[in-house]
Amino acid sequence: QKEVEQNSGPLSVPEGAIASLNCTYSDRGSQSFFWYRQYSGKSPELIMSIYSNGDKEDGRFTAQLNKASQYVSLLIRDSQPSDSATYLCAVNPNRDDKIIFGKGTRLHILP
Amino acid sequence: EAGVVQSPRYKIIEKKQPVAFWCNPISGHNTLYWYRQNLGQGPELLIRYENEEAVDDSQLPKDRFSAERLKGVDSTLKIQPAELGDSAVYLCASRQGPNTGELFFGEGSRLTVL
């Protein structure tokens, strides 16, 4: 089992709809969780971090964490064409300061 | 405040040649990471520094890769000799400290080995 798993996509979502991106992780003791956006040819850009169970909202973005299910998700409301990118889930396992990334989900917002 | 700075942005070399990448982290960030990202994949950790100490280099191919972080600030990642399979983007990232704060990336160094 990979440490951080994401569906590679592509995930196609109509403009204005909600995009839902999912991630599972294997280390039950993980404490810190991050979502990065990566445009083609660019480096990853941090968009959300979440540390406790529940929802965390920032503008059109909502991160959701369920430690019991070892599941973290990112919702993007009112999706815009500029949201088309690869979204990387990253997890900080409890055992050390290593930050492990999933392969990323390609999101395509349809105009 | 300046972000993580990397150079060069692009490098094309022939196989068996050496190459070096440089990184300057965000000021005050003690933890520095080198990741490698292949096309269509997520970043994979090569080495992590806490100040000048390499605390995790388990994924660094030590036969050809080396890294240093003198004085606990700038860092250099070297490959000698380069192989075709080393073609990738080499990302430097920094963080305030162990398990502290968020990870910020530089723009990356894209290596092409011919």
Side-chain angles (χ1 to χ4, degrees):
Chain A
Q1 181 186 9
K2 293 186 182 299
E3 295 192 77
V4 180
E5 295 206 54
Q6 298 180 254
N7 188 320
S8 61
L11 175 65
S12 296
V13 174
E15 183 176 356
I18 296 174
S20 177
L21 304 160
N22 305 314
C23 172
T24 58
Y25 59 94
S26 61
D27 187 326
R28 183 171 290 277
S30 298
Q31 297 294 325
S32 307
F33 308 85
F34 309 93
W35 282 100
Y36 286 80
R37 178 177 60 200
Q38 187 172 29
Y39 292 115
S40 180
K42 302 293 186 182
S43 64
E45 173 193 11
L46 179 69
I47 54 173
M48 290 287 287
S49 58
I50 187 166
Y51 303 97
S52 55
N53 276 331
D55 295 359
K56 180 181 177 183
E57 187 175 319
D58 183 0
R60 296 186 297 112
F61 299 97
T62 299
Q64 299 176 318
L65 175 62
N66 183 325
K67 290 185 178 180
S69 299
Q70 295 174 237
Y71 177 93
V72 58
S73 64
L74 179 70
L75 302 178
I76 307 175
R77 290 182 300 282
D78 188 22
S79 297
Q80 304 296 309
S82 59
D83 295 327
S84 296
T86 295
Y87 289 80
L88 297 163
C89 173
V91 176
N92 191 170
N94 192 42
R95 62 182 183 273
D96 57 31
D97 194 37
K98 181 182 298 186
I99 296 180
I100 300 171
F101 286 79
K103 289 187 174 183
T105 298
R106 285 185 295 138
L107 175 65
H108 182 49
I109 305 301
L110 304 171
Chain B
E1 180 181 330
V4 178
V5 179
Q6 290 188 246
S7 68
R9 290 291 313 282
Y10 304 92
K11 190 73 176 179
I12 301 174
I13 61 172
E14 294 190 348
K15 62 181 181 183
K16 300 185 181 179
Q17 295 299 305
V19 64
F21 305 111
W22 174 82
C23 173
N24 185 281
I26 292 172
S27 177
H29 280 197
N30 298 319
T31 306
L32 184 146
Y33 304 73
W34 282 102
Y35 284 88
R36 176 170 60 190
Q37 188 174 27
N38 291 304
L39 191 64
Q41 303 294 313
E44 296 177 333
L45 181 68
L46 292 174
I47 190 168
R48 173 168 61 93
Y49 282 92
E50 295 296 345
N51 298 302
E52 66 276 7
E53 181 183 0
V55 294
D56 183 356
D57 64 355
S58 58
Q59 302 301 312
L60 191 72
K62 298 182 183 62
D63 57 336
R64 298 183 300 106
F65 285 65
S66 64
E68 61 183 11
R69 190 182 184 197
L70 300 176
K71 301 181 181 178
V73 181
D74 294 7
S75 178
T76 302
L77 177 69
K78 298 178 181 179
I79 308 174
Q80 182 171 12
E83 296 179 352
L84 296 177
D86 296 332
S87 295
V89 176
Y90 291 84
L91 294 163
C92 180
S94 71
R95 196 179 190 190
Q96 190 173 353
N99 293 302
T100 302
E102 295 150 345
L103 189 67
F104 294 95
F105 284 90
E107 295 194 18
S109 295
R110 182 177 297 276
L111 174 66
T112 301
V113 182
L114 302 176

